[in-house]
Amino acid sequence: MFLRWSLMALLSALSSFAISLAQEQVEIDASNGAIGGKVAVAFWPGIEDESGEIRAIEPGGFEGRLVPQDSLDEEWSYPCGTWFQPPPNKYKFWLEGNGMISPFSSVMIYGGGRFQGQGLASITAVVPAGSVRIPADTELPAHGTLRLLHLDSHSRGPFLKRELSRRVSGKSARDGVLMPEGRVIAVLFDNILQEYVAISRPVEISSGATTYVWPKPPREGSDLLVALTRPSGISRKSDHDVGLLIRGIEGGPRGPEIVVSTRDRIYGFWYGLHGGAYATLEVKSETVFLSPQDVVLRKRKVESYSGVLRPLPTVEVEISLPNEMKPTAMALEVLTAAEMRSIRRVELPPDTGVYNFEALPTEAVYVKLETPPWAYYEWLDLGTGGDHKALFQPNPIHVTGTVYRGTVEHSASLTFRTNRMSHEDELIVETDEQGHYEVILFRPGEYVVLVRLEGGKSPAFFDYPQIAEKFSVVVDFQVPPNRYWVNVIDSETRDGIAGAEVYADSTFAEGQRGESSLSITDDKGIAELPPFRRGEVAVSAKAKGYLPSEWTRELVNESALERELTLELRPIGATAPLRLLLSDGAPAVNAEVRAQAALDNTLPFWEGRCDQTGVVNIPDYADGAYILVRHPDAGSTIRRWRRSEASGEYLEWSLASPAPPLSVNVSRAWGDPVGASLALWLFDLRVTGRTLAWLAGSPVGGTNSQGKWQAHNLPPTPISVLAWTHSVTGGALAGAYDSFAVPVPFPWPEIVQIETAD
């Protein structure tokens, strides 16, 4: 025998027990709770007092209503206060009678086991109720069922309960059935078509009164009913811990007009949805998830979606540290893969162990282990849900070697990094006087090593050794013996310019990678550049108040030559003030401004920022160029600069408010997502490359490998979008595919879906 009651039913299983009935004690002998040698069940109605205790009332006129799990359209009745035996099954049940009804339903599983000396009885609370029936001039179809759902009573008290819902057909719908006081929704279901055909608006039930309800199909658009089953064992932070949203409809995303959040389920009701053939249902929660679901929307029809929520993923992280690794601190962190935004972080004792991160978002993430000075990353795709594991088991790699300048051993300072620009993973090692060093690393792969000669004072020479996964490896560093200096001077005074930025882009011979460096001139206007491998180097400089220099190119060999280059910077000269205002009239303080000759990959020939009054001085030599502006609180803009228009105190431009983010998904004609370059037409101007990336606040002017791109702070204006793959870049940049650009009216859709032009 197996019998289980829900937490909402107060179960008494003693051989005898007392029930407080009015002012007297009533004895129920549970030893009589058997029929035919098998355990029996008894229901007893009760009233809940202010303390939450349920006190029994006379059972006469009350009956228990049981709905078997395998036949939900049936209701079985058993009188209260009497022992009975239902067929073995799982049941939803409630009590009703004398104008009262249980405010929520409970669940029991009855197995009809052998009697072992006592029966089983339950006291279940009842509350005032009213009658619900259909109007006299209406009639349910022979194959139709009226389904009633109470919207409120399940949330009485500190815990969510199971909703009270019941299915009514035929004579019962006309005669009326009891429902608790409060709001009720009625839904008409077609048992042949197996679909909902009409949903009512909520009606109010009053104690002792009759309420008429008749659901009607939508006159226009679509009505939608969503029913989601909760996973067991997931705690809820509130009655509204799960958010529902419909996207892809007219008017933008919409939450449900009515939400019912119960112990086992969540219901959402939408009325009058307009859109295309499909919309998308999204679930937002900190405990459960459902992947986005397509929902059919037929005009003047009721649509429905039933699904099962799943617990958000758990990641189990196992850490196994070798004896050689003795960190003084350790931390684990989970970050979003897309933005590297921290989701959760925990400081840990520096030791081996297993740790769990629960209820993580359903997206790609990095699990990061910090054991200073190193950090280790494990990529996990949580997008499909389910639990995952991450293992961090760094193995020691003993690395030794020698630093050479040319062919001569040389002392140096070595900085080992796993990322060129990041100082997060950084270990500094000093060689001895003969250039010998040794270090223990803990993961194989490519490293970035900054080699500084002259006691660490010289510019860094970058090397990129591949460290094999072995117990010990030898890695030597060969620093070219050449030395380069750049003298940056004023083209008019011939004086050195202190604080100038000197850029050096080198291209290595023999198909090796290129390298870029930045050096700052000293008070005499001189900057030393890093040593260069054999190949070609291009050098340029810029400084505040000056035009950027042209690029100077030189062939480089690895001989021990010392070379000094001179770069002349021309003073900016005459300027005209431009004042930029935000949409509310406030000055656009710190707005970024650029002057460019073209709107593609062209670099700006002048850059500036607005002061506290929103004013920036545009050099006269920018006459006829494009002026690009961006600001966090404004839509980016492009205009031609006409010096002749800047007469008077200043020329004034007003910036529009920023538009919502623009999301673009690019695919091939057959539907596969693909990485692509993009062109946007803003203000009827074609924008690509670095210019597009800068205006859109995006790292690049194209999609990632999954075909996704997002732009921020664009102006609120209609645009056109063109996408192409690398194979046709030349033709696309020349305008050969411009006729394939897709117009996008404003306001933009949530996602702009386009196909590549090639």
Side-chain angles (χ1 to χ4, degrees), residues 399-405 407-414 416 429-439 449 451-455 474-479:
V399 183
T400 59
T402 303
V403 176
Y404 297 88
R405 185 175 186 270
T407 58
V408 180
E409 296 174 346
H410 202 290
S411 63
S413 175
L414 305 177
F416 285 81
V429 179
E430 303 292 338
T431 71
D432 61 18
E433 293 183 357
Q434 286 73 45
H436 305 310
Y437 75 95
E438 59 181 48
V439 64
V449 180
V451 184
R452 292 184 174 91
L453 306 177
E454 310 298 339
V474 176
V475 177
D476 293 333
F477 297 99
Q478 304 282 344
V479 179

Side-chain angles (χ1 to χ4, degrees), residues 333-546:
E333 188 172 18
V334 181
L335 308 104
T336 61
E339 302 170 347
M340 297 302 286
R341 173 178 52 83
S342 179
I343 301 171
R344 211 163 302 157
R345 179 182 173 88
V346 59
E347 306 289 337
L348 300 171
D351 199 1
T352 294
V354 177
Y355 307 89
N356 286 327
F357 289 102
E358 298 180 347
L360 293 174
T362 51
E363 60 180 295
V365 301
Y366 283 105
V367 181
K368 175 185 176 184
L369 170 64
E370 294 180 11
T371 56
W374 302 115
Y376 303 87
Y377 293 83
E378 185 77 18
W379 184 86
L380 298 174
D381 184 4
L382 309 184
T384 57
D387 296 339
H388 291 69
K389 292 186 178 182
L391 172 63
F392 293 103
Q393 192 174 23
N395 294 313
I397 304 172
H398 298 259
V399 183
T400 59
T402 303
V403 176
Y404 297 88
R405 185 175 186 270
T407 58
V408 180
E409 296 174 346
H410 202 290
S411 63
S413 175
L414 305 177
T415 301
F416 285 81
R417 292 179 186 169
T418 57
N419 183 295
R420 185 188 190 283
M421 302 305 297
S422 173
H423 295 252
E424 181 181 46
D425 304 1
E426 185 171 275
L427 180 63
I428 299 176
V429 179
E430 303 292 338
T431 71
D432 61 18
E433 293 183 357
Q434 286 73 45
H436 305 310
Y437 75 95
E438 59 181 48
V439 64
I440 299 178
L441 304 177
F442 292 94
R443 74 173 170 201
E446 183 180 79
Y447 281 75
V448 179
V449 180
L450 287 67
V451 184
R452 292 184 174 91
L453 306 177
E454 310 298 339
K457 296 179 182 179
S458 67
F461 171 77
F462 283 81
D463 209 344
Y464 305 88
Q466 288 282 344
I467 305 299
E469 190 172 9
K470 298 180 179 179
F471 179 76
S472 63
V473 296
V474 176
V475 177
D476 293 333
F477 297 99
Q478 304 282 344
V479 179
N482 54 61
R483 298 186 72 177
Y484 281 80
W485 289 269
V486 174
N487 186 18
V488 182
I489 63 173
D490 185 304
S491 64
E492 296 179 0
T493 67
R494 315 304 292 177
D495 294 332
I497 302 174
E501 298 177 352
V502 180
Y503 297 88
D505 288 348
S506 60
T507 304
F508 307 160
E510 301 171 359
Q512 299 183 63
R513 74 176 78 199
E515 185 65 76
S516 298
S517 66
L518 169 63
S519 304
I520 306 298
T521 59
D522 59 19
D523 56 0
K524 297 180 180 179
I526 297 175
E528 183 176 0
L529 304 182
F532 297 116
R533 292 179 175 86
R534 184 166 62 89
E536 183 183 67
V537 63
V539 183
S540 177
K542 68 177 183 179
K544 187 175 181 180
Y546 292 86

Side-chain angles (χ1 to χ4, degrees), residues 594 596 600-603 687-695 698 701:
R594 287 183 167 187
Q596 293 184 194
D600 46 25
N601 251 356
T602 302
L603 292 170
V687 184
T688 61
R690 290 191 183 99
T691 303
L692 175 58
W694 190 84
L695 288 170
S698 174

Side-chain angles (χ1 to χ4, degrees), residues 137-154:
D137 59 349
T138 61
E139 185 175 354
L140 286 182
H143 50 80
T145 302
L146 191 69
R147 300 186 178 183
L148 302 176
L149 172 66
H150 204 280
L151 304 183
D152 305 311
S153 59
H154 60 276

Side-chain angles (χ1 to χ4, degrees), residues 274-290:
H274 295 268
Y278 293 91
T280 301
L281 170 68
E282 290 186 359
V283 171
K284 301 294 183 183
S285 171
E286 295 182 1
T287 56
V288 295
F289 89 100
L290 179 76

